[in-house]
Amino acid sequence: VPSLSPFPFPFSPSMVATWMDGEKASGLGSNSSKGGLSLDVPMALRVFSVDYYHVQAPFEIVLWIMLASLAKLGFHWSGRLPAVVPESCLLIMVGLLVGGVIYGVRHSAPPTLSADAFFLFLLPPIVLDAGYFLPGKLFFENLGTILWYAVLGTLWNVLGIGVCLYGVCLLASGSLGDVSLLHCLLFSSLIAAVDPVAVLSVFQEIHVNEQLHILVFGESLLNDAVTVVLYKLFESFLRLPVVTGVDVLLGGCRVLGVGLGGLGVGLFFGLVAALTSRFTSRAQVIAPLFVFLYSYLSYLTSEMLHLSGIMAIVTCAVTMKQYVEANLSERSNTSIQYFLKMWSSVSETLIFIFLGVSTIQDVHMWSWAFVCSTLLLCLLWRATGVILLTAVVNKVRRNVVTFRDQFIIAYGGLRGAICFSLVFLIDDFPKKRLFITTTIVVILFTVFVQGMTIKPLVELLEVKRRKRNLPTVSEEIHSRLLDHLLAGIEDVVGYWGQHYWKDKFEQFNQRYLCRFLIREERQARSSIVRVYQELERRDERADEEHITHVDVRCQTRPHLLEEMDSIRRILTRNLHSFNNKQIPAYSRHTLHGTPAAEGRKPLRRHQSLGGKHSPWSQVTPTVHSITHSSIQPYS
Amino acid sequence: MGSRASTLLREEEIEEIKKETGFSHSQITRLYSRFTSLDKGENGTLSREDFQRIPELAINPLGDRIINAFFPEGEDQVNFRGFMRTLAHFRPIEDNEKNKDPTASEPLNSRTNKLLFAFRLYDLDRDDKISRDELLQVLRMMVGLNMFVSQVLRMMVGLNMFVSQVLRMMVGVNISDEQLGSIADRTIQEADQNGDNSISFNEFIKVLEKVDVEQKMSIRFLH
């Protein structure tokens, strides 16, 4: 059995490589430069000298990051452009420009994004950020659907695209004859993967409701396990002389093992991080560091064990979040959140710029048949996959996935840098350059074409949908009444619909985990404080809903038109709303609830309410994910 | 906990509740354990304070009215039967129930009964009409964001419902009463067909005919 070396990357000239060279050069150079200095001394003492090699590597890294950040700044200042073109597109274009410039100057390929740098340095911050701010409750409610789309959908796409591509290769056997079925399957496994980075960046632009957002986003996160395993599976199949049925079965088990393994690693590190944070009260300044260290450690550990790193880091973040937030001071929490946003932003920008830069290479091989058929098949199989899966899953779900949602899921399945890195990892074979070129084309197509057109298309659908049903004021008010009523009844009943296990978990959480992992004085014992926290959270969300309702003409009473407008505006701004909020709970570029938090002082618990230490001990209003669970009755 | 609860609830009672409400055996036992966990006084009935101890219900804008809906006219205690009878309204309508014998009495979770439940949330004085004032009251409750003070005070001191309502109205609300008034007028206008400036139950049903009440007012009780 051939053994897989851990990182079988062909090292393209990367920043890391130049850094190594730079180190060696400076190591050698310092001696000679020192010698040079001593030689020069009799003639003149050098007042001003330039020693580039000494700082080359960090200097170049900083320059790239600076370029990325300035591009981002420029983008936001460029007037109407952000409305039309998503940020990712512009960044790729900047990258193309820079790559072109470097190519012109150096007459050789510019540094490409090495898979190493991508998987080890650029991807973890983004996924950590996404995992930390994941709306936990929503995620777990929709977990079944998300898994359904992630696992089955990816399998459907991979097999469909792979087999069809093989058919195309057979048909065009003149130019593509040496591409075997396994190669096609390998290629389709990496091209079928929906990329969380690209998806997130585009969804900032369009307004999707929370549920849809979590579906697409969750799917893109989870299908990493499936994708990477399938990829590694087909790669190892390629190295085997013969593939038997047993191998396929083992491969299937491996998918499960990789996913669950990543989960386990993440859970472990998350709990350890929570426990560590319990003891940081005396060294609050370094407390945020633990969050990052433990998350990164979980990622690296699972990558080391060939498990799914993305799943590990997401699980770690989700697990430790509530305990860490309870244990750390408000300032530490804010630092954590800000650093996460900052790093993930920089990472994302760098990734897109490098995608642009790496496109300028001399390793391209073009084949109209292959490229066009890949594009077509990707779209086709994703669309059919989504439609079929949704038809089945809607029978079981409470909130059905509407047609508009399905369109967004299918059309919003963007490919990104993960495909790009994976394609570079393929063992060399004659048509590898073709694969690289095709991957780049697919990524550029999805990001540019789909990314730019998704917003207008969604709006087109919206208009069509809105023309059909116009809720009257009565309907809106009575619907709200029913929403509140249902929420109240569900609270009386004590569990929310099907989430018996969630209820049980919350009980377990309160009874054991919180006692163990949260600092003594931070455990919210009084239900009044919990009520306050719940209210805080609802107020924050209500403050953020600055939706301007697009008013369509009222058909029945035209003379009350103006009044209708103002009534609608009042209602949307003031009534508590429950399902299908139009603002996603997660945003790459802003922190949740910052403007509201500034004007709000934390509740000072008076001694009479049972505060333990000083008469005015501070209780920090933490931002928990929504819990509709049964809190222990006031004892 | 489950087994202890079922021994306190007799089999005949379970059968009767089953017939009246349509819940299954396991659903009834599970809801009984919830009932007993809420019943702090352990006297087999729930009082209004027992309900008010549920934190999320305390911050629900319609919390008081929902609690009120559990108690029969003029009474202060509700037993398990009454509890189940109220909850039965929220059972999802199953397909096999839809084509039942038309001469049999309507099940508690029919569309009409669900709507009647919602109607009674507005109609406090039980005159089978939602007047402008009653509508305005509910609107005020749903719109008020700063209910924190009244909620906390009530929880701490155990004030009865009337005082808390007054408190709630005293706490500042984001929109003026005139705007609320015009919304109330508009709502009545859309529904009112016989011109008496109030919404009767039939008008209420008509206004909500496009809303999927069966789905909205259903909780999937676990089996």
Side-chain angles (χ1 to χ4, degrees):
Chain A
V1 176
S3 60
L4 292 168
S5 56
F7 300 108
F9 308 146
F11 273 103
S12 38
S14 66
M15 296 183 304
V16 183
T18 49
W19 187 22
M20 304 289 230
D21 290 335
E23 279 293 318
K24 287 197 209 109
S26 66
L28 292 170
S30 56
N31 290 335
S32 55
S33 67
K34 279 205 182 98
L37 253 166
S38 59
L39 276 177
D40 281 350
V41 154
M43 304 210 295
L45 200 61
R46 284 238 185 111
V47 177
F48 178 73
S49 55
V50 177
D51 189 2
Y52 184 61
Y53 289 114
H54 188 56
V55 296
Q56 179 179 15
F59 201 83
E60 283 185 356
I61 295 176
V62 170
L63 275 183
W64 278 111
I65 299 182
M66 185 71 86
L67 169 72
S69 316
L70 287 174
K72 213 173 155 74
L73 267 184
F75 171 73
H76 283 289
W77 275 94
S78 62
R80 289 210 59 233
L81 209 52
V84 178
V85 182
E87 199 176 301
S88 42
C89 299
L90 270 174
L91 290 172
I92 293 184
M93 287 200 278
V94 168
L96 280 171
L97 245 151
V98 172
V101 163
I102 297 183
Y103 188 75
V105 165
R106 265 207 228 161
H107 294 290
S108 69
T112 55
L113 182 68
S114 93
D116 239 349
F118 173 70
F119 277 113
L120 289 183
F121 300 117
L122 291 179
L123 186 62
I126 298 180
V127 190
L128 177 59
D129 171 60
Y132 200 79
F133 292 102
L134 195 70
K137 180 196 184 215
L138 211 57
F139 183 73
F140 284 111
E141 269 165 44
N142 291 300
L143 190 61
T145 318
I146 292 176
L147 278 173
W148 184 254
Y149 280 122
V151 178
L152 281 180
T154 313
L155 277 175
W156 171 268
N157 280 331
V158 167
L159 291 174
I161 297 177
V163 171
C164 290
L165 265 183
Y166 184 57
V168 167
C169 290
L170 284 179
L171 284 176
S173 60
S175 52
L176 302 170
D178 52 349
V179 185
S180 69
L181 177 63
L182 270 177
H183 280 126
C184 287
L185 282 173
L186 183 65
F187 180 67
S188 69
S189 73
L190 62 92
I191 203 85
V194 172
D195 190 74
V197 181
V199 163
L200 276 178
S201 71
V202 159
F203 272 21
Q204 305 300 324
E205 329 289 335
I206 59 178
H207 295 298
V208 289
N209 56 41
E210 282 186 327
Q211 178 191 276
L212 183 58
H213 195 265
I214 202 68
L215 279 180
V216 183
F217 176 59
E219 182 208 346
S220 65
L221 276 186
L222 287 186
N223 72 14
D224 169 65
V226 185
T227 302
V228 172
V229 169
L230 282 177
Y231 175 84
K232 291 205 173 116
L233 198 69
F234 289 129
E235 206 181 26
S236 49
F237 280 177
L238 268 175
R239 296 188 190 149
L240 288 177
V242 172
V243 179
T244 64
V246 179
D247 293 319
V248 177
L249 201 66
L250 283 177
C253 297
R254 220 160 145 210
V255 177
L256 211 65
V258 160
L260 291 177
L263 207 82
V265 170
L267 264 176
F268 172 70
F269 278 104
L271 289 175
V272 174
L275 189 59
T276 315
S277 68
R278 183 180 172 168
F279 301 108
T280 55
S281 51
R282 305 207 184 162
Q284 286 189 7
V285 186
I286 62 166
L289 197 58
F290 285 112
V291 171
F292 304 125
L293 287 179
Y294 276 111
S295 321
Y296 197 40
L297 208 58
S298 72
Y299 182 79
L300 292 175
T301 312
S302 58
E303 284 292 318
M304 174 178 77
L305 300 171
H306 286 290
L307 304 170
S308 170
I310 292 188
M311 284 215 60
I313 206 173
V314 169
T315 319
C316 184
V318 167
T319 315
M320 71 170 147
K321 180 173 173 187
Q322 47 169 323
Y323 309 112
V324 160
E325 279 193 341
N327 280 331
L328 265 55
S329 66
E330 197 179 336
R331 287 209 191 129
S332 300
N333 276 322
T334 315
S335 325
I336 293 177
Q337 290 167 7
Y338 257 106
F339 266 109
L340 281 176
K341 288 287 176 206
M342 188 183 77
W343 271 329
S344 69
S345 237
V346 167
S347 249
E348 182 197 14
T349 321
L350 273 176
I351 287 176
F352 282 120
I353 288 199
F354 261 105
L355 265 179
V357 169
S358 313
T359 317
I360 315 281
Q361 296 181 40
D362 9 76
V363 291
H364 289 297
M365 185 193 293
W366 185 263
S367 155
W368 278 106
F370 198 76
V371 174
C372 295
S373 53
T374 310
L375 274 177
L376 226 76
L377 286 171
C378 280
L379 283 171
L380 197 70
W381 281 97
R382 181 148 180 95
T384 51
V386 167
I387 294 178
L388 280 175
L389 290 175
T390 314
V392 175
V393 97
N394 267 345
K395 297 212 168 81
V396 198
R397 279 180 66 85
R398 194 181 184 202
N399 299 331
V400 290
V401 183
T402 64
F403 177 68
R404 171 184 178 258
D405 293 346
Q406 288 176 45
F407 173 74
I408 291 182
I409 295 177
Y411 202 66
L414 304 184
R415 275 68 170 174
I418 293 188
C419 319
F420 187 72
S421 310
L422 284 178
V423 84
F424 271 105
L425 299 186
I426 301 181
D427 292 338
D428 222 356
F429 80 107
K431 285 290 190 299
K432 182 172 169 180
R433 296 152 142 219
L434 175 62
F435 280 6
I436 295 178
T437 312
T438 318
T439 313
I440 294 181
V441 171
V442 170
I443 295 176
L444 290 181
F445 179 83
T446 56
V447 173
F448 276 92
V449 175
Q450 282 176 232
M452 281 203 275
T453 56
I454 193 170
K455 193 173 174 192
L457 282 174
V458 163
E459 278 173 9
L460 199 68
L461 279 178
E462 283 283 294
V463 174
K464 282 201 178 141
R465 189 183 64 123
R466 270 211 214 110
K467 276 194 187 144
R468 264 185 279 129
N469 43 14
L470 232 180
T472 60
V473 173
S474 309
E475 279 178 7
E476 262 192 65
I477 292 184
H478 297 317
S479 298
R480 290 296 196 278
L481 179 101
L482 292 179
D483 283 335
H484 285 300
L485 171 63
L486 257 293
I489 298 287
E490 280 163 356
D491 294 326
V492 169
V493 171
Y495 55 80
W496 195 23
Q498 346 173 229
H499 300 290
Y500 176 63
W501 292 112
K502 189 176 178 296
D503 186 46
K504 277 269 177 265
F505 170 71
E506 275 299 328
Q507 282 182 24
F508 172 72
N509 195 16
Q510 282 296 116
R511 218 173 278 159
Y512 303 111
L513 290 180
C514 284
R515 290 243 171 94
F516 188 53
L517 296 173
I518 300 186
R519 247 189 290 162
E520 276 285 307
E521 60 269 18
R522 294 297 182 87
Q523 294 176 20
R525 297 225 174 89
S526 163
S527 56
I528 292 183
V529 178
R530 260 182 267 143
V531 168
Y532 172 75
Q533 288 170 356
E534 169 89 33
L535 273 181
E536 279 279 274
R537 211 184 332 113
R538 288 195 190 190
D539 271 350
E540 280 174 26
R541 281 196 285 127
D543 282 339
E544 284 173 21
E545 287 180 4
H546 305 301
I547 318 161
T548 44
H549 213 79
V550 174
D551 300 310
V552 190
R553 272 180 183 269
C554 174
Q555 294 154 337
T556 46
R557 284 163 228 251
H559 64 280
L560 289 171
L561 191 59
E562 274 174 19
E563 218 180 292
M564 279 295 288
D565 284 358
S566 63
I567 289 178
R568 281 235 164 75
R569 215 171 301 134
I570 292 170
L571 282 180
T572 47
R573 219 182 300 138
N574 285 294
L575 287 179
H576 295 291
S577 64
F578 285 83
N579 304 320
N580 284 328
K581 285 195 349 212
Q582 290 299 311
I583 289 192
Y586 169 77
S587 159
R588 170 65 53 74
H589 307 292
T590 51
L591 270 184
H592 202 55
T594 347
E598 267 155 23
R600 185 159 295 137
K601 299 191 199 103
L603 170 69
R604 297 198 178 273
R605 230 209 237 154
H606 193 260
Q607 208 168 19
S608 62
L609 289 182
K612 243 190 187 174
H613 303 280
S614 66
W616 296 101
S617 68
Q618 193 176 0
V619 175
T620 52
T622 53
V623 181
H624 293 290
S625 52
I626 309 167
T627 46
H628 247 285
S629 59
S630 82
I631 295 184
Q632 302 299 319
Y634 193 126
S635 48
Chain B
M1 190 165 82
S3 53
R4 181 167 63 87
S6 57
T7 52
L8 293 175
L9 191 62
R10 293 176 323 238
E11 275 302 315
E12 316 94 69
E13 250 190 275
I14 297 183
E15 282 304 310
E16 284 171 24
I17 296 177
K18 208 181 192 179
K19 226 179 291 173
E20 195 184 348
T21 60
F23 282 116
S24 75
H25 196 282
S26 53
Q27 285 172 335
I28 296 175
T29 29
R30 182 169 282 154
L31 287 168
Y32 187 69
S33 66
R34 174 65 177 169
F35 181 83
T36 40
S37 73
L38 288 173
D39 181 13
K40 290 296 161 191
E42 290 190 8
N43 48 4
T45 58
L46 293 178
S47 65
R48 288 202 165 80
E49 281 76 43
D50 291 321
F51 280 102
Q52 282 161 1
R53 250 178 244 124
I54 306 172
E56 292 94 345
L57 202 56
I59 55 176
N60 190 310
L62 300 173
D64 293 330
R65 303 234 171 165
I66 297 174
I67 296 174
N68 219 21
F70 278 88
F71 294 86
E73 285 274 351
E75 289 184 26
D76 282 328
Q77 303 283 333
V78 59
N79 58 11
F80 183 58
R81 267 290 194 62
F83 185 71
M84 292 302 282
R85 211 172 288 135
T86 314
L87 288 181
H89 287 94
F90 298 93
R91 209 164 57 83
I93 300 180
E94 262 124 58
D95 285 324
N96 53 8
E97 283 178 345
K98 282 190 187 152
N99 305 323
K100 247 185 175 173
D101 179 16
T103 57
S105 63
E106 255 184 278
L108 282 168
N109 64 339
S110 68
R111 186 194 163 94
T112 320
N113 278 326
K114 284 186 201 278
L115 283 171
L116 189 61
F117 192 92
F119 187 79
R120 294 232 171 97
L121 282 182
Y122 283 108
D123 185 20
L124 273 186
D125 56 6
R126 298 293 166 99
D127 62 352
D128 285 328
K129 282 204 292 248
I130 304 178
S131 67
R132 185 180 183 273
D133 276 326
E134 290 170 336
L135 189 60
L136 208 52
Q137 271 181 37
V138 172
L139 271 175
R140 270 196 212 108
M141 288 195 288
M142 288 205 291
V143 162
L145 290 176
N146 300 333
M147 296 189 299
F148 169 58
V149 175
S150 63
Q151 311 282 3
V152 167
L153 278 177
R154 178 160 41 91
M155 277 178 69
M156 280 170 57
V157 183
L159 298 172
N160 65 28
M161 263 194 305
F162 171 70
V163 180
S164 64
Q165 271 176 356
V166 168
L167 271 176
R168 201 173 290 145
M169 289 184 207
M170 278 165 40
V171 171
V173 176
N174 277 357
I175 54 179
S176 71
D177 237 28
E178 293 141 45
Q179 287 171 315
L180 273 181
S182 64
I183 293 177
D185 287 329
R186 173 78 193 168
T187 312
I188 293 185
Q189 216 172 20
E190 279 177 359
D192 197 14
Q193 280 163 356
N194 57 359
D196 58 353
N197 214 30
S198 58
I199 309 177
S200 73
F201 184 52
N202 288 322
E203 291 163 355
F204 188 70
I205 296 180
K206 186 124 204 321
V207 158
L208 288 180
E209 61 187 358
K210 274 196 238 158
V211 177
D212 187 3
V213 174
E214 290 95 330
Q215 207 243 14
K216 248 179 137 59
M217 278 188 72
S218 297
I219 303 178
R220 283 234 187 97
F221 291 95
L222 292 177
H223 293 286

